[in-house]
Amino acid sequence: MSYLSEEIASQPDCWRQAAQLAARSGAELPMPGERIAVVGCGTSWFMAAAYANLRERAGQGHSDAFAASEFPTGRNYDRLVAITRSGTTTELNRLLAAVQGSLHSTVLTASAGTPVAALADQVIELGFADERSVVQTRFATSALGVLRAHLGTDLAPLASAGELAVHQQLDDSWADAEQITFLGAGWAAEIAREAALKLREAAQFWTESYPSMEYRHGPISIAGPGRLVWHFGPAEPRLAAQIRATGAGFHDSAEDPMVELILVQRLAAVLAGRRGLDPDRPRQLTRSVVLDAAS
Ligand code: F1P
């Protein structure tokens, strides 16, 4: 069994630990009314964006999200929240170094014994969710889980639903699809981006991802027989009908998108296996991107 598969299956347990960590660390996380920016790279960026979307919609205050390399200088924030499994990602650590002393920063990381710890004002360590696979699954959802729990979401039912998602039979048609496009609205659009990245990273599989209502604005031209459109959350009925009319397979679900993501992670492991790939050591990827000084 790959580390990836073991780590996918351990997410419900990790989410329970995330809920406990959120309860212990509440005072260190953004308070209602704070104006915040949330940053990360790759998977961590998508988790940052999902949290920012959820926080602002929950009425807790202005919440922007950026890829760490695209952080706009010159805007006023009360706090920078950074998400990084490794604690060694160059773009993120450069940003934290640049704002040190002028912008309060809080980092969520799997390892506090890494350079990021010295760069951030506060460190929230999720050691229980660290991973051996290069491809991230449980750290990402656990970091989002801590932040969701801090926003008031009860993670216990999500962990129970996650147990079912770990064991439920995957539809054969999913792995047979030639191409998959993931859609979602609001924070689910960020989970859709993460789902698409997972299949690219682990299985070199062709995926795309869009906010639901953007799909008609061009990307629907990719849909057709033999391809699949996967919608996180229930799709608007006319959109669903229009997608079905293309001949593409269509899947949507009322399940919480973070729980539903487990099915896509498992699909990534299945597709990697079918293609003879090692999902723990994907081509051209490393645990983190560490750039030299000239980059
Ligand atoms: C961020 C990241 C991963 C990606 C790859 C390279 O890492 O971009 O999302 O899958 O492994 O690193 P981190 O900053 O969360 O450690």
Side-chain angles (χ1 to χ4, degrees):
M1 202 193 212
S2 62
Y3 292 128
L4 179 70
S5 292
E6 283 174 30
E7 289 158 3
I8 290 168
S10 69
Q11 286 175 106
D13 279 343
C14 287
W15 297 353
R16 293 184 183 103
Q17 294 186 65
Q20 292 167 10
L21 180 59
R24 288 197 303 276
S25 313
E28 296 166 55
L29 289 164
M31 291 295 122
E34 281 184 32
R35 187 180 161 89
I36 70 165
V38 197
V39 293
C41 296
T43 290
S44 295
W45 171 34
F46 300 144
M47 298 303 111
Y51 165 57
N53 189 296
L54 282 164
R55 181 176 185 269
E56 192 160 303
R57 282 175 194 234
Q60 294 223 356
H62 185 112
S63 311
D64 290 328
F66 303 100
S69 55
E70 297 290 334
F71 184 76
T73 50
R75 291 196 194 170
N76 285 328
Y77 292 106
D78 298 320
R79 187 199 297 246
L80 184 68
V81 177
I83 302 175
T84 173
R85 177 181 68 177
S86 64
T88 56
T89 295
T90 299
E91 298 95 317
L92 191 91
N93 286 358
R94 279 183 187 160
L95 172 60
L96 287 165
V99 302
Q100 211 168 19
S102 60
L103 176 58
H104 187 81
S105 60
T106 302
V107 66
L108 285 83
T109 182
S111 176
T114 57
V116 78
L119 297 169
D121 295 309
Q122 286 167 318
V123 179
I124 297 177
E125 187 178 26
L126 290 81
F128 59 84
D130 203 356
E131 293 166 297
R132 297 180 73 173
S133 174
V134 164
V135 175
Q136 287 198 34
T137 55
R138 73 181 184 190
F139 171 75
T141 58
S142 298
L144 181 58
V146 169
L147 294 165
R148 291 184 72 187
H150 182 63
L151 291 177
T153 298
D154 182 1
L155 297 188
L158 300 185
S160 300
E163 304 279 6
L164 298 177
V166 162
H167 294 109
Q168 118 182 23
Q169 178 91 28
L170 298 182
D171 190 313
D172 286 340
S173 70
W174 298 343
D176 290 339
E178 174 200 23
Q179 185 276 340
I180 306 180
T181 297
F182 294 97
L183 304 177
W187 73 284
E190 308 304 334
I191 300 298
R193 295 166 83 191
E194 166 59 7
L197 180 67
K198 228 54 324 169
L199 292 188
R200 290 196 292 268
E201 285 184 324
Q204 297 167 25
F205 190 83
W206 176 22
T207 56
E208 306 203 0
S209 55
Y210 303 94
S212 308
M213 298 304 275
E214 275 299 304
Y215 189 54
R216 290 186 176 100
H217 294 273
I220 195 168
S221 55
I222 292 297
R227 297 179 178 174
L228 174 66
V229 179
W230 183 312
H231 194 285
F232 285 91
E236 190 272 316
R238 281 163 302 182
L239 176 61
Q242 201 174 341
I243 293 169
R244 285 200 179 92
T246 68
F250 179 73
H251 168 77
D252 71 348
S253 165
E255 186 53 88
D256 181 280
M258 193 169 95
V259 174
E260 178 86 351
L261 181 62
I262 291 178
L263 301 180
V264 181
Q265 296 166 340
R266 290 179 54 212
L267 180 61
V270 168
L271 285 171
R274 276 202 187 185
R275 294 177 163 208
L277 302 170
D278 178 354
D280 293 332
R281 275 184 293 277
R283 186 179 66 162
Q284 288 144 15
L285 296 179
T286 47
R287 174 172 163 88
S288 71
V289 175
V290 180
L291 303 174
D292 59 34
S295 305

